Amino acid sequence: MKLLLFLFLLFVSLGAKYLDNHSCNECHEKIYEEFETSAHSKSFFNDELHRKVALKADKTKYECAQCHMPGADNLKDLITGKAKPNRNNKTQTDAIGCFFCHTIAYVKRTHKFNINTKAKQAENYKPSLYGRLSNPEDSDKHSSVKNPIYGKMACLGCHSHKLNDNNVTIFRAMSKGQDSQDCIKCHMPEVSGGVEKLDKKARGHHASHKFLGIRDKVFRAKGVDINITNNKGELLVKLTNKMAHPLIIQPARAKYIEINIKRDGKSIWKNYKKSPKEDKKAYFAYFFKKDGKEVVLPSSATSFKANNIEAKEIKVLKYDVVKLKKNDLVEVSFWVQLAKDECSRVINLKDKSYLKPMLIKRVIKKIN
């Protein structure tokens, strides 16, 4: 609790005029369009899974605001329960908005979660926005400053780790000592077009603000390699995590392997019958308990375990299968669910797409 109070004090911008996302569109049209399709544009108001988990975890306060509504002008009141999320408040509906991300001055590393320290702004002057560009452009709305933390620490404030009040890890995307360079390289690749609509300095490219992630079909297939080998009735499936973070980082999410061996067009073996959870070694997720009993929501958990693949790690799954013959097909499909089936036990999701598996990658090997 003391840490939260410390957080509130650090999130102070003196006299700064708030620039909403739409106002950025005037000069940064391409970047605005990218942002509007990104996960950063998802908020309490337009992300049903997050909203219902937050409300189920605590009906009196919105502690998730520190990362999911960080630009709110009443952040302290939201976290302590003195205020509720308000759809008419632009600083809240902007989600993880432009003004918030570009006014981070420093990130403080702490045990339970990291803290974004906001830049103090001079009263009655236009705000200063931070970024990575050398010789950045000013505008009539803001001045621009190159800040080295945007290459090293900008992602750490929200994407590093989170422990609940029982000291249980409920989110971990980055390891100690890791910086934001790997995040930017993968999730914000350089794309054509200048940072401004008119590209006055003829830069010709900018860092994508789509913040590519699991919802992008092409992007998610790049994160894992699958290799299939057969050795005297033992099937080996080698999974290589090419990402700079663990395979599973969100507590609601699950990823799993489906193996289907076909002969003459008919399935003769699968690694599970009804549920992918039957194959425990190929079902990757967080599993939480409270006082020894399974719980779905991690906010109250007192312990956890995870079946995961760490950053850059290789994991080999071994199976004793039927004797394979020439021309048999071994089909390995890797799937992701944004919300595990268990989530439906505690929250009623109207949008069933959260529960519907999405294909990450499929590899087919023909036995010679």
Side-chain angles (χ1 to χ4, degrees), residues 180-215:
S180 299
Q181 296 286 1
D182 287 330
C183 311
I184 294 168
K185 180 181 177 181
C186 287
H187 297 280
M188 299 184 71
E190 292 289 319
V191 294
S192 61
V195 294
E196 285 192 308
K197 186 188 300 185
L198 299 179
D199 198 13
K200 292 180 291 188
K201 295 193 176 181
R203 298 182 190 273
H205 57 86
H206 67 275
S208 171
H209 282 60
K210 287 185 177 181
F211 303 104
L212 293 168
I214 199 69
R215 291 172 177 82

PDB file of all heavy atoms in Angstrom, residues 180-215:
ATOM      1  N   SER A 180      14.404  -2.241 -22.930  1.00  0.00           N
ATOM      2  CA  SER A 180      13.319  -2.166 -23.910  1.00  0.00           C
ATOM      3  C   SER A 180      13.763  -2.405 -25.346  1.00  0.00           C
ATOM      4  O   SER A 180      12.928  -2.413 -26.254  1.00  0.00           O
ATOM      5  CB  SER A 180      12.636  -0.794 -23.827  1.00  0.00           C
ATOM      6  OG  SER A 180      12.089  -0.591 -22.549  1.00  0.00           O
ATOM      7  N   GLN A 181      15.043  -2.592 -25.575  1.00  0.00           N
ATOM      8  CA  GLN A 181      15.530  -2.707 -26.952  1.00  0.00           C
ATOM      9  C   GLN A 181      14.885  -3.872 -27.695  1.00  0.00           C
ATOM     10  O   GLN A 181      14.477  -3.746 -28.855  1.00  0.00           O
ATOM     11  CB  GLN A 181      17.060  -2.873 -26.950  1.00  0.00           C
ATOM     12  CG  GLN A 181      17.832  -1.688 -26.408  1.00  0.00           C
ATOM     13  CD  GLN A 181      17.863  -0.509 -27.383  1.00  0.00           C
ATOM     14  OE1 GLN A 181      17.284  -0.567 -28.456  1.00  0.00           O
ATOM     15  NE2 GLN A 181      18.534   0.553 -26.986  1.00  0.00           N
ATOM     16  N   ASP A 182      14.788  -5.041 -27.027  1.00  0.00           N
ATOM     17  CA  ASP A 182      14.178  -6.205 -27.684  1.00  0.00           C
ATOM     18  C   ASP A 182      12.700  -5.977 -27.955  1.00  0.00           C
ATOM     19  O   ASP A 182      12.167  -6.426 -28.980  1.00  0.00           O
ATOM     20  CB  ASP A 182      14.359  -7.453 -26.825  1.00  0.00           C
ATOM     21  CG  ASP A 182      15.789  -7.978 -26.841  1.00  0.00           C
ATOM     22  OD1 ASP A 182      16.460  -7.794 -27.867  1.00  0.00           O
ATOM     23  OD2 ASP A 182      16.223  -8.556 -25.835  1.00  0.00           O
ATOM     24  N   CYS A 183      12.026  -5.286 -27.032  1.00  0.00           N
ATOM     25  CA  CYS A 183      10.603  -4.991 -27.214  1.00  0.00           C
ATOM     26  C   CYS A 183      10.399  -4.150 -28.476  1.00  0.00           C
ATOM     27  O   CYS A 183       9.545  -4.441 -29.323  1.00  0.00           O
ATOM     28  CB  CYS A 183      10.033  -4.231 -26.022  1.00  0.00           C
ATOM     29  SG  CYS A 183      10.411  -4.930 -24.406  1.00  0.00           S
ATOM     30  N   ILE A 184      11.191  -3.086 -28.579  1.00  0.00           N
ATOM     31  CA  ILE A 184      11.051  -2.150 -29.695  1.00  0.00           C
ATOM     32  C   ILE A 184      11.386  -2.828 -31.021  1.00  0.00           C
ATOM     33  O   ILE A 184      10.694  -2.638 -32.024  1.00  0.00           O
ATOM     34  CB  ILE A 184      11.953  -0.924 -29.460  1.00  0.00           C
ATOM     35  CG1 ILE A 184      11.452  -0.129 -28.246  1.00  0.00           C
ATOM     36  CG2 ILE A 184      12.006  -0.031 -30.692  1.00  0.00           C
ATOM     37  CD1 ILE A 184      12.409   0.927 -27.760  1.00  0.00           C
ATOM     38  N   LYS A 185      12.434  -3.637 -31.016  1.00  0.00           N
ATOM     39  CA  LYS A 185      12.871  -4.310 -32.240  1.00  0.00           C
ATOM     40  C   LYS A 185      11.756  -5.149 -32.850  1.00  0.00           C
ATOM     41  O   LYS A 185      11.553  -5.149 -34.068  1.00  0.00           O
ATOM     42  CB  LYS A 185      14.092  -5.176 -31.939  1.00  0.00           C
ATOM     43  CG  LYS A 185      14.636  -5.936 -33.141  1.00  0.00           C
ATOM     44  CD  LYS A 185      15.821  -6.785 -32.737  1.00  0.00           C
ATOM     45  CE  LYS A 185      16.339  -7.617 -33.903  1.00  0.00           C
ATOM     46  NZ  LYS A 185      17.483  -8.471 -33.505  1.00  0.00           N
ATOM     47  N   CYS A 186      11.023  -5.882 -32.008  1.00  0.00           N
ATOM     48  CA  CYS A 186       9.977  -6.785 -32.510  1.00  0.00           C
ATOM     49  C   CYS A 186       8.613  -6.110 -32.635  1.00  0.00           C
ATOM     50  O   CYS A 186       7.912  -6.299 -33.635  1.00  0.00           O
ATOM     51  CB  CYS A 186       9.849  -7.996 -31.605  1.00  0.00           C
ATOM     52  SG  CYS A 186      11.199  -9.170 -31.742  1.00  0.00           S
ATOM     53  N   HIS A 187       8.225  -5.352 -31.617  1.00  0.00           N
ATOM     54  CA  HIS A 187       6.863  -4.839 -31.549  1.00  0.00           C
ATOM     55  C   HIS A 187       6.687  -3.457 -32.179  1.00  0.00           C
ATOM     56  O   HIS A 187       5.562  -3.018 -32.402  1.00  0.00           O
ATOM     57  CB  HIS A 187       6.393  -4.809 -30.093  1.00  0.00           C
ATOM     58  CG  HIS A 187       6.331  -6.157 -29.454  1.00  0.00           C
ATOM     59  ND1 HIS A 187       5.284  -7.026 -29.657  1.00  0.00           N
ATOM     60  CD2 HIS A 187       7.197  -6.807 -28.632  1.00  0.00           C
ATOM     61  CE1 HIS A 187       5.497  -8.143 -28.987  1.00  0.00           C
ATOM     62  NE2 HIS A 187       6.649  -8.037 -28.352  1.00  0.00           N
ATOM     63  N   MET A 188       7.809  -2.765 -32.436  1.00  0.00           N
ATOM     64  CA  MET A 188       7.737  -1.450 -33.070  1.00  0.00           C
ATOM     65  C   MET A 188       8.742  -1.364 -34.222  1.00  0.00           C
ATOM     66  O   MET A 188       9.630  -0.495 -34.240  1.00  0.00           O
ATOM     67  CB  MET A 188       8.003  -0.338 -32.052  1.00  0.00           C
ATOM     68  CG  MET A 188       7.027  -0.271 -30.912  1.00  0.00           C
ATOM     69  SD  MET A 188       7.341   1.142 -29.813  1.00  0.00           S
ATOM     70  CE  MET A 188       6.837   2.527 -30.859  1.00  0.00           C
ATOM     71  N   PRO A 189       8.630  -2.232 -35.228  1.00  0.00           N
ATOM     72  CA  PRO A 189       9.593  -2.217 -36.335  1.00  0.00           C
ATOM     73  C   PRO A 189       9.481  -0.932 -37.152  1.00  0.00           C
ATOM     74  O   PRO A 189       8.441  -0.279 -37.178  1.00  0.00           O
ATOM     75  CB  PRO A 189       9.182  -3.436 -37.166  1.00  0.00           C
ATOM     76  CG  PRO A 189       7.716  -3.595 -36.884  1.00  0.00           C
ATOM     77  CD  PRO A 189       7.557  -3.217 -35.441  1.00  0.00           C
ATOM     78  N   GLU A 190      10.563  -0.579 -37.807  1.00  0.00           N
ATOM     79  CA  GLU A 190      10.564   0.602 -38.673  1.00  0.00           C
ATOM     80  C   GLU A 190       9.683   0.350 -39.900  1.00  0.00           C
ATOM     81  O   GLU A 190       9.779  -0.695 -40.540  1.00  0.00           O
ATOM     82  CB  GLU A 190      11.986   0.934 -39.117  1.00  0.00           C
ATOM     83  CG  GLU A 190      12.896   1.412 -38.002  1.00  0.00           C
ATOM     84  CD  GLU A 190      12.532   2.805 -37.521  1.00  0.00           C
ATOM     85  OE1 GLU A 190      12.213   3.664 -38.364  1.00  0.00           O
ATOM     86  OE2 GLU A 190      12.546   3.031 -36.292  1.00  0.00           O
ATOM     87  N   VAL A 191       8.824   1.316 -40.202  1.00  0.00           N
ATOM     88  CA  VAL A 191       7.944   1.235 -41.370  1.00  0.00           C
ATOM     89  C   VAL A 191       8.061   2.535 -42.159  1.00  0.00           C
ATOM     90  O   VAL A 191       8.583   3.539 -41.660  1.00  0.00           O
ATOM     91  CB  VAL A 191       6.473   0.990 -40.949  1.00  0.00           C
ATOM     92  CG1 VAL A 191       6.312  -0.374 -40.319  1.00  0.00           C
ATOM     93  CG2 VAL A 191       5.994   2.075 -39.997  1.00  0.00           C
ATOM     94  N   SER A 192       7.584   2.522 -43.383  1.00  0.00           N
ATOM     95  CA  SER A 192       7.720   3.691 -44.251  1.00  0.00           C
ATOM     96  C   SER A 192       6.812   4.827 -43.791  1.00  0.00           C
ATOM     97  O   SER A 192       5.757   4.606 -43.195  1.00  0.00           O
ATOM     98  CB  SER A 192       7.384   3.318 -45.694  1.00  0.00           C
ATOM     99  OG  SER A 192       6.050   2.863 -45.795  1.00  0.00           O
ATOM    100  N   GLY A 193       7.250   6.035 -44.085  1.00  0.00           N
ATOM    101  CA  GLY A 193       6.491   7.225 -43.719  1.00  0.00           C
ATOM    102  C   GLY A 193       7.133   7.943 -42.547  1.00  0.00           C
ATOM    103  O   GLY A 193       7.601   7.318 -41.602  1.00  0.00           O
ATOM    104  N   GLY A 194       7.186   9.257 -42.620  1.00  0.00           N
ATOM    105  CA  GLY A 194       7.790  10.040 -41.553  1.00  0.00           C
ATOM    106  C   GLY A 194       6.907  10.092 -40.322  1.00  0.00           C
ATOM    107  O   GLY A 194       5.747   9.673 -40.346  1.00  0.00           O
ATOM    108  N   VAL A 195       7.451  10.622 -39.248  1.00  0.00           N
ATOM    109  CA  VAL A 195       6.683  10.710 -38.005  1.00  0.00           C
ATOM    110  C   VAL A 195       5.576  11.744 -38.107  1.00  0.00           C
ATOM    111  O   VAL A 195       4.574  11.680 -37.389  1.00  0.00           O
ATOM    112  CB  VAL A 195       7.594  11.035 -36.807  1.00  0.00           C
ATOM    113  CG1 VAL A 195       8.547   9.897 -36.539  1.00  0.00           C
ATOM    114  CG2 VAL A 195       8.365  12.332 -37.032  1.00  0.00           C
ATOM    115  N   GLU A 196       5.750  12.708 -39.016  1.00  0.00           N
ATOM    116  CA  GLU A 196       4.729  13.733 -39.224  1.00  0.00           C
ATOM    117  C   GLU A 196       4.048  13.530 -40.568  1.00  0.00           C
ATOM    118  O   GLU A 196       4.624  12.953 -41.498  1.00  0.00           O
ATOM    119  CB  GLU A 196       5.355  15.130 -39.186  1.00  0.00           C
ATOM    120  CG  GLU A 196       5.731  15.613 -37.805  1.00  0.00           C
ATOM    121  CD  GLU A 196       6.076  17.089 -37.814  1.00  0.00           C
ATOM    122  OE1 GLU A 196       6.914  17.496 -38.635  1.00  0.00           O
ATOM    123  OE2 GLU A 196       5.492  17.825 -37.005  1.00  0.00           O
ATOM    124  N   LYS A 197       2.842  14.041 -40.673  1.00  0.00           N
ATOM    125  CA  LYS A 197       2.075  13.915 -41.913  1.00  0.00           C
ATOM    126  C   LYS A 197       2.844  14.505 -43.097  1.00  0.00           C
ATOM    127  O   LYS A 197       2.891  13.937 -44.186  1.00  0.00           O
ATOM    128  CB  LYS A 197       0.734  14.624 -41.755  1.00  0.00           C
ATOM    129  CG  LYS A 197      -0.211  14.431 -42.927  1.00  0.00           C
ATOM    130  CD  LYS A 197      -1.444  15.326 -42.801  1.00  0.00           C
ATOM    131  CE  LYS A 197      -2.221  15.037 -41.545  1.00  0.00           C
ATOM    132  NZ  LYS A 197      -3.470  15.817 -41.469  1.00  0.00           N
ATOM    133  N   LEU A 198       3.483  15.667 -42.878  1.00  0.00           N
ATOM    134  CA  LEU A 198       4.203  16.340 -43.958  1.00  0.00           C
ATOM    135  C   LEU A 198       5.653  15.887 -44.073  1.00  0.00           C
ATOM    136  O   LEU A 198       6.327  16.222 -45.040  1.00  0.00           O
ATOM    137  CB  LEU A 198       4.155  17.859 -43.741  1.00  0.00           C
ATOM    138  CG  LEU A 198       2.759  18.482 -43.736  1.00  0.00           C
ATOM    139  CD1 LEU A 198       2.846  19.990 -43.482  1.00  0.00           C
ATOM    140  CD2 LEU A 198       2.031  18.211 -45.050  1.00  0.00           C
ATOM    141  N   ASP A 199       6.160  15.136 -43.107  1.00  0.00           N
ATOM    142  CA  ASP A 199       7.532  14.638 -43.095  1.00  0.00           C
ATOM    143  C   ASP A 199       8.519  15.746 -43.454  1.00  0.00           C
ATOM    144  O   ASP A 199       9.333  15.630 -44.379  1.00  0.00           O
ATOM    145  CB  ASP A 199       7.669  13.454 -44.056  1.00  0.00           C
ATOM    146  CG  ASP A 199       8.929  12.624 -43.779  1.00  0.00           C
ATOM    147  OD1 ASP A 199       9.545  12.823 -42.721  1.00  0.00           O
ATOM    148  OD2 ASP A 199       9.304  11.801 -44.639  1.00  0.00           O
ATOM    149  N   LYS A 200       8.462  16.828 -42.695  1.00  0.00           N
ATOM    150  CA  LYS A 200       9.244  18.032 -43.007  1.00  0.00           C
ATOM    151  C   LYS A 200      10.747  17.773 -43.028  1.00  0.00           C
ATOM    152  O   LYS A 200      11.474  18.420 -43.777  1.00  0.00           O
ATOM    153  CB  LYS A 200       8.919  19.131 -41.989  1.00  0.00           C
ATOM    154  CG  LYS A 200       7.493  19.674 -42.107  1.00  0.00           C
ATOM    155  CD  LYS A 200       7.218  20.760 -41.089  1.00  0.00           C
ATOM    156  CE  LYS A 200       7.163  20.203 -39.682  1.00  0.00           C
ATOM    157  NZ  LYS A 200       6.699  21.223 -38.706  1.00  0.00           N
ATOM    158  N   LYS A 201      11.218  16.842 -42.235  1.00  0.00           N
ATOM    159  CA  LYS A 201      12.654  16.564 -42.201  1.00  0.00           C
ATOM    160  C   LYS A 201      13.032  15.348 -43.051  1.00  0.00           C
ATOM    161  O   LYS A 201      14.152  14.854 -42.965  1.00  0.00           O
ATOM    162  CB  LYS A 201      13.121  16.382 -40.766  1.00  0.00           C
ATOM    163  CG  LYS A 201      12.982  17.671 -39.948  1.00  0.00           C
ATOM    164  CD  LYS A 201      13.712  17.607 -38.636  1.00  0.00           C
ATOM    165  CE  LYS A 201      13.606  18.956 -37.924  1.00  0.00           C
ATOM    166  NZ  LYS A 201      14.320  18.966 -36.617  1.00  0.00           N
ATOM    167  N   ALA A 202      12.097  14.897 -43.872  1.00  0.00           N
ATOM    168  CA  ALA A 202      12.335  13.817 -44.834  1.00  0.00           C
ATOM    169  C   ALA A 202      12.987  12.593 -44.182  1.00  0.00           C
ATOM    170  O   ALA A 202      13.941  12.023 -44.699  1.00  0.00           O
ATOM    171  CB  ALA A 202      13.187  14.326 -45.996  1.00  0.00           C
ATOM    172  N   ARG A 203      12.444  12.188 -43.049  1.00  0.00           N
ATOM    173  CA  ARG A 203      12.987  11.000 -42.388  1.00  0.00           C
ATOM    174  C   ARG A 203      12.641   9.735 -43.173  1.00  0.00           C
ATOM    175  O   ARG A 203      13.413   8.795 -43.226  1.00  0.00           O
ATOM    176  CB  ARG A 203      12.456  10.911 -40.956  1.00  0.00           C
ATOM    177  CG  ARG A 203      12.875  12.088 -40.080  1.00  0.00           C
ATOM    178  CD  ARG A 203      12.366  11.915 -38.659  1.00  0.00           C
ATOM    179  NE  ARG A 203      12.542  13.125 -37.878  1.00  0.00           N
ATOM    180  CZ  ARG A 203      13.639  13.441 -37.207  1.00  0.00           C
ATOM    181  NH1 ARG A 203      14.679  12.634 -37.258  1.00  0.00           N
ATOM    182  NH2 ARG A 203      13.719  14.559 -36.511  1.00  0.00           N
ATOM    183  N   GLY A 204      11.438   9.695 -43.735  1.00  0.00           N
ATOM    184  CA  GLY A 204      11.060   8.582 -44.593  1.00  0.00           C
ATOM    185  C   GLY A 204      10.625   7.307 -43.887  1.00  0.00           C
ATOM    186  O   GLY A 204      10.183   6.364 -44.522  1.00  0.00           O
ATOM    187  N   HIS A 205      10.748   7.262 -42.553  1.00  0.00           N
ATOM    188  CA  HIS A 205      10.354   6.057 -41.822  1.00  0.00           C
ATOM    189  C   HIS A 205      10.068   6.434 -40.375  1.00  0.00           C
ATOM    190  O   HIS A 205      10.457   7.504 -39.893  1.00  0.00           O
ATOM    191  CB  HIS A 205      11.455   4.997 -41.883  1.00  0.00           C
ATOM    192  CG  HIS A 205      12.781   5.464 -41.359  1.00  0.00           C
ATOM    193  ND1 HIS A 205      13.124   5.411 -40.036  1.00  0.00           N
ATOM    194  CD2 HIS A 205      13.836   6.019 -41.992  1.00  0.00           C
ATOM    195  CE1 HIS A 205      14.326   5.900 -39.857  1.00  0.00           C
ATOM    196  NE2 HIS A 205      14.791   6.283 -41.040  1.00  0.00           N
ATOM    197  N   HIS A 206       9.408   5.535 -39.681  1.00  0.00           N
ATOM    198  CA  HIS A 206       9.126   5.741 -38.260  1.00  0.00           C
ATOM    199  C   HIS A 206       8.905   4.391 -37.588  1.00  0.00           C
ATOM    200  O   HIS A 206       8.710   3.371 -38.259  1.00  0.00           O
ATOM    201  CB  HIS A 206       7.880   6.634 -38.074  1.00  0.00           C
ATOM    202  CG  HIS A 206       6.603   5.996 -38.520  1.00  0.00           C
ATOM    203  ND1 HIS A 206       6.174   6.034 -39.823  1.00  0.00           N
ATOM    204  CD2 HIS A 206       5.661   5.271 -37.843  1.00  0.00           C
ATOM    205  CE1 HIS A 206       5.025   5.385 -39.931  1.00  0.00           C
ATOM    206  NE2 HIS A 206       4.690   4.913 -38.747  1.00  0.00           N
ATOM    207  N   ALA A 207       8.935   4.376 -36.281  1.00  0.00           N
ATOM    208  CA  ALA A 207       8.660   3.151 -35.525  1.00  0.00           C
ATOM    209  C   ALA A 207       7.159   2.905 -35.512  1.00  0.00           C
ATOM    210  O   ALA A 207       6.382   3.772 -35.118  1.00  0.00           O
ATOM    211  CB  ALA A 207       9.198   3.271 -34.101  1.00  0.00           C
ATOM    212  N   SER A 208       6.744   1.735 -35.950  1.00  0.00           N
ATOM    213  CA  SER A 208       5.315   1.422 -36.007  1.00  0.00           C
ATOM    214  C   SER A 208       4.680   1.513 -34.623  1.00  0.00           C
ATOM    215  O   SER A 208       5.229   1.023 -33.634  1.00  0.00           O
ATOM    216  CB  SER A 208       5.109   0.016 -36.558  1.00  0.00           C
ATOM    217  OG  SER A 208       3.753  -0.381 -36.427  1.00  0.00           O
ATOM    218  N   HIS A 209       3.517   2.136 -34.572  1.00  0.00           N
ATOM    219  CA  HIS A 209       2.761   2.231 -33.323  1.00  0.00           C
ATOM    220  C   HIS A 209       1.553   1.294 -33.321  1.00  0.00           C
ATOM    221  O   HIS A 209       0.598   1.506 -32.584  1.00  0.00           O
ATOM    222  CB  HIS A 209       2.332   3.676 -33.073  1.00  0.00           C
ATOM    223  CG  HIS A 209       3.452   4.536 -32.551  1.00  0.00           C
ATOM    224  ND1 HIS A 209       4.612   4.734 -33.259  1.00  0.00           N
ATOM    225  CD2 HIS A 209       3.594   5.234 -31.383  1.00  0.00           C
ATOM    226  CE1 HIS A 209       5.420   5.527 -32.560  1.00  0.00           C
ATOM    227  NE2 HIS A 209       4.828   5.820 -31.421  1.00  0.00           N
ATOM    228  N   LYS A 210       1.644   0.223 -34.131  1.00  0.00           N
ATOM    229  CA  LYS A 210       0.638  -0.833 -34.043  1.00  0.00           C
ATOM    230  C   LYS A 210       0.901  -1.712 -32.820  1.00  0.00           C
ATOM    231  O   LYS A 210       0.020  -2.452 -32.392  1.00  0.00           O
ATOM    232  CB  LYS A 210       0.666  -1.708 -35.301  1.00  0.00           C
ATOM    233  CG  LYS A 210       0.093  -1.059 -36.538  1.00  0.00           C
ATOM    234  CD  LYS A 210       0.064  -2.045 -37.694  1.00  0.00           C
ATOM    235  CE  LYS A 210      -0.572  -1.428 -38.933  1.00  0.00           C
ATOM    236  NZ  LYS A 210      -0.617  -2.388 -40.065  1.00  0.00           N
ATOM    237  N   PHE A 211       2.129  -1.639 -32.294  1.00  0.00           N
ATOM    238  CA  PHE A 211       2.527  -2.476 -31.157  1.00  0.00           C
ATOM    239  C   PHE A 211       2.106  -3.923 -31.428  1.00  0.00           C
ATOM    240  O   PHE A 211       1.314  -4.512 -30.694  1.00  0.00           O
ATOM    241  CB  PHE A 211       1.938  -1.958 -29.851  1.00  0.00           C
ATOM    242  CG  PHE A 211       2.316  -0.530 -29.552  1.00  0.00           C
ATOM    243  CD1 PHE A 211       1.404   0.497 -29.726  1.00  0.00           C
ATOM    244  CD2 PHE A 211       3.586  -0.214 -29.114  1.00  0.00           C
ATOM    245  CE1 PHE A 211       1.758   1.814 -29.464  1.00  0.00           C
ATOM    246  CE2 PHE A 211       3.949   1.102 -28.855  1.00  0.00           C
ATOM    247  CZ  PHE A 211       3.034   2.118 -29.029  1.00  0.00           C
ATOM    248  N   LEU A 212       2.641  -4.474 -32.516  1.00  0.00           N
ATOM    249  CA  LEU A 212       2.252  -5.793 -32.993  1.00  0.00           C
ATOM    250  C   LEU A 212       2.297  -6.830 -31.877  1.00  0.00           C
ATOM    251  O   LEU A 212       3.220  -6.847 -31.060  1.00  0.00           O
ATOM    252  CB  LEU A 212       3.178  -6.218 -34.131  1.00  0.00           C
ATOM    253  CG  LEU A 212       3.065  -5.397 -35.422  1.00  0.00           C
ATOM    254  CD1 LEU A 212       4.218  -5.716 -36.361  1.00  0.00           C
ATOM    255  CD2 LEU A 212       1.731  -5.643 -36.095  1.00  0.00           C
ATOM    256  N   GLY A 213       1.299  -7.695 -31.870  1.00  0.00           N
ATOM    257  CA  GLY A 213       1.210  -8.696 -30.819  1.00  0.00           C
ATOM    258  C   GLY A 213       0.457  -9.927 -31.262  1.00  0.00           C
ATOM    259  O   GLY A 213       0.324 -10.212 -32.456  1.00  0.00           O
ATOM    260  N   ILE A 214      -0.101 -10.644 -30.301  1.00  0.00           N
ATOM    261  CA  ILE A 214      -0.690 -11.952 -30.531  1.00  0.00           C
ATOM    262  C   ILE A 214      -1.923 -11.898 -31.437  1.00  0.00           C
ATOM    263  O   ILE A 214      -2.274 -12.894 -32.074  1.00  0.00           O
ATOM    264  CB  ILE A 214      -1.050 -12.615 -29.176  1.00  0.00           C
ATOM    265  CG1 ILE A 214      -1.231 -14.135 -29.339  1.00  0.00           C
ATOM    266  CG2 ILE A 214      -2.290 -11.972 -28.554  1.00  0.00           C
ATOM    267  CD1 ILE A 214       0.032 -14.867 -29.645  1.00  0.00           C
ATOM    268  N   ARG A 215      -2.563 -10.769 -31.536  1.00  0.00           N
ATOM    269  CA  ARG A 215      -3.764 -10.674 -32.373  1.00  0.00           C
ATOM    270  C   ARG A 215      -3.438 -10.560 -33.857  1.00  0.00           C
ATOM    271  O   ARG A 215      -4.325 -10.663 -34.699  1.00  0.00           O
ATOM    272  CB  ARG A 215      -4.630  -9.481 -31.929  1.00  0.00           C
ATOM    273  CG  ARG A 215      -5.275  -9.664 -30.557  1.00  0.00           C
ATOM    274  CD  ARG A 215      -5.942  -8.389 -30.100  1.00  0.00           C
ATOM    275  NE  ARG A 215      -6.629  -8.542 -28.830  1.00  0.00           N
ATOM    276  CZ  ARG A 215      -6.042  -8.477 -27.641  1.00  0.00           C
ATOM    277  NH1 ARG A 215      -4.722  -8.260 -27.576  1.00  0.00           N
ATOM    278  NH2 ARG A 215      -6.726  -8.632 -26.526  1.00  0.00           N
TER     279      ARG A 215
END
